[in-house]
Amino acid sequence: MTAEFTVRDAVFDFCRRMGMTTVFGNPGSTELRMLRDFPADFEYVLGLQELVAVGAAAGHALGTGGAALVNLHSAGGVGHALGGVFNAYRDRIPLVIVAGQQTRAMLPTRPFLGADEPAQFPRPYVKWSRQPERAEDVPAAFAEAYRVAMTPPRGPVFLSVPEDDWDRPAEPVPHREIRAGFAADPAALRETADALNDAANPVIVVGSGVEDENVSHLVVSLAERTGAPVWISPLSGRSGFPEDHALFKGFLPPVRNRLVAELEGHDVVLVLGAPVFNYHVHTEGPFIPEGTKLFLFDCDPTLTAWAPVGTGVLTTLQAGLSGLLELVDKADRPAPEPRPRLARPQRADPIDAALVVEALRERMPADAVLVEEIPSHRDMFHARFPITKPGTFLTMGSGVLGWSLPMGVGRALAGSGERIVCVLGDGAIMYSVQALWTAARHRLPMTVIVMNNGGYGAVRALGRRIGMDGVVGADIAGIDYAAVAGGLGVPGRTVTSAADLEGALDEALAHEGPFIVDVAVAADEEAMYWSATER
């Protein structure tokens, strides 16, 4: 080692070896020394707000399959980003978040822009967080952070670095590797396989963990071998099973009594990579039908411990499913009744939101990736737009708005030119509309469709459920979304008549860079999942 080799050199050298050469951030004074002599083979992606930086990093991580590097500004920047950190944690997206801190000598004086107890600030929504005791410990801590982020269950980690640490001398990070896959106890696999073999009517429930581990093909094999129908878990952030498959049943509702009703008649339930007890509305009653056996396979010990009923089997899904496929017998069970194809809505004004979805589905490029954030229309959307290939659908699994637009930006940056189509609510886009500037700056192949129903439709629906005639603060009016986008460098169109819809979508999907279509849709007064007793 020479005096010229610094903490900064060691960290960037490690990032280079791990393939983390894209940095997402919004820099401030405490990050400048990290960015000094920024390596020519790295790229800094600027987000105009920290939520945008974290969301774009998440989309990039999902596109590449590796961890993404995020650079935030001290306590204020971390505070702005926490909604995104929460999303990344719940959706198991590996992010290495590095925040600046004032110099070590200044910390006893509680300086301007200093972070008090920085390692505690993002908890509990990071897997790991530190501020190293010494500057020379920063590279090793950074490497540990990366390994924790990438170890199942994957997720965000946090490192606070005093700004003067970057110029201190340091040693390179030694090469290390982790083999992170682990298998269930053989007796647990045998118990689960015996239950499936003996079952009269088993069912499988999949969550975002299936796509996180790239094992959709194994789920298909297991479903076909057992003849078990497949549900997607409530409010999943990804798909996990081809929705045009004969065994696909649909989407479980996030309401306890309705979920139990859907599982009625199944004597064995196998849950794969999902918090199946993910409710949005409280109801009383059992968690599963009486007499039903439930097995939960997941790599997260917290999730398997938290599940209120059933048998938790701690395993990565690759190992668990491979083991089950060796033990489960071929069964001859009839496929469930085909899901009905919904009729195409009439072309009329005001525009039916379902017409927008159908028109988009008909025009969707074969290799496009769909990113959704329309809580008001989510049930309708998924009933009309089946996801058939892994990795082609992303959404917010945690419910924190503003996630999907920057996630689409990051996914586009990680792509090879495929079109990213973001379908957003008029409320959702305003949480992170600054992401359009980043899309324009990089000329990303993105189509953004705003389903403009004049407010927070999901909040209105929840209000109706509890007997409220109106909800304070749920109306949005007076925003020209095409004009806002234009000011950020993204061209667009406003559509108020159904006669103009198809032409606008064609233009948006063919545009070389990003393009926005603001579609005025009728307010949805239909019952949503929380207000119906049956699907």
Side-chain angles (χ1 to χ4, degrees), residues 448-521:
V448 179
I449 300 167
V450 180
M451 303 279 260
N452 189 344
N453 62 3
Y456 302 114
V459 176
R460 292 169 177 161
L462 279 168
R464 290 195 297 272
R465 178 181 177 273
I466 60 175
M468 294 176 64
D469 294 330
V471 178
V472 174
D475 296 332
I476 304 172
I479 301 175
D480 186 335
Y481 293 93
V484 171
L488 294 167
V490 176
R493 288 178 58 176
T494 299
V495 175
T496 57
S497 172
D500 299 326
L501 176 62
E502 284 89 349
L505 292 179
D506 288 338
E507 181 180 2
L509 291 168
H511 190 77
E512 184 176 348
F515 194 97
I516 190 170
V517 181
D518 174 18
V519 186
V521 298

Side-chain angles (χ1 to χ4, degrees), residues 246-292:
L247 289 171
F248 181 63
K249 283 284 288 182
F251 308 88
L252 286 175
V255 185
R256 187 192 300 186
N257 60 354
R258 291 204 52 223
L259 188 152
V260 171
E262 298 290 10
L263 298 180
E264 194 70 50
H266 295 288
D267 51 348
V268 174
V269 179
L270 175 61
V271 182
L272 302 170
V276 68
F277 305 103
N278 190 15
Y279 307 125
H280 191 194
V281 173
H282 174 70
T283 61
E284 299 291 344
F287 292 101
I288 57 175
E290 185 177 355
T292 297

Side-chain angles (χ1 to χ4, degrees), residues 24-32 35 44-47 50 71-73:
F24 297 85
N26 185 282
S29 57
T30 55
E31 291 72 52
L32 291 179
L35 304 177
Y44 193 96
V45 178
L46 176 60
E50 286 83 352
N71 172 227
L72 299 179
H73 178 41

Side-chain angles (χ1 to χ4, degrees), residues 274-357:
V276 68
F277 305 103
N278 190 15
Y279 307 125
H280 191 194
V281 173
H282 174 70
T283 61
E284 299 291 344
F287 292 101
I288 57 175
E290 185 177 355
T292 297
K293 294 181 179 180
L294 184 143
F295 296 88
L296 168 61
F297 278 44
D298 198 80
C299 61
D300 185 354
T302 303
L303 180 60
T304 56
W306 160 78
V309 295
T311 300
V313 179
L314 190 61
T315 178
T316 53
L317 295 182
Q318 173 75 42
L321 286 166
S322 297
L324 281 181
L325 285 167
E326 294 177 0
L327 300 172
V328 171
D329 300 332
K330 175 67 176 175
D332 185 18
R333 294 186 175 95
E337 289 293 321
R339 301 181 74 217
R341 181 76 181 97
L342 300 176
R344 196 178 196 275
Q346 295 294 315
R347 183 185 297 174
D349 297 327
I351 303 170
D352 188 336
L355 180 66
V356 182
V357 173

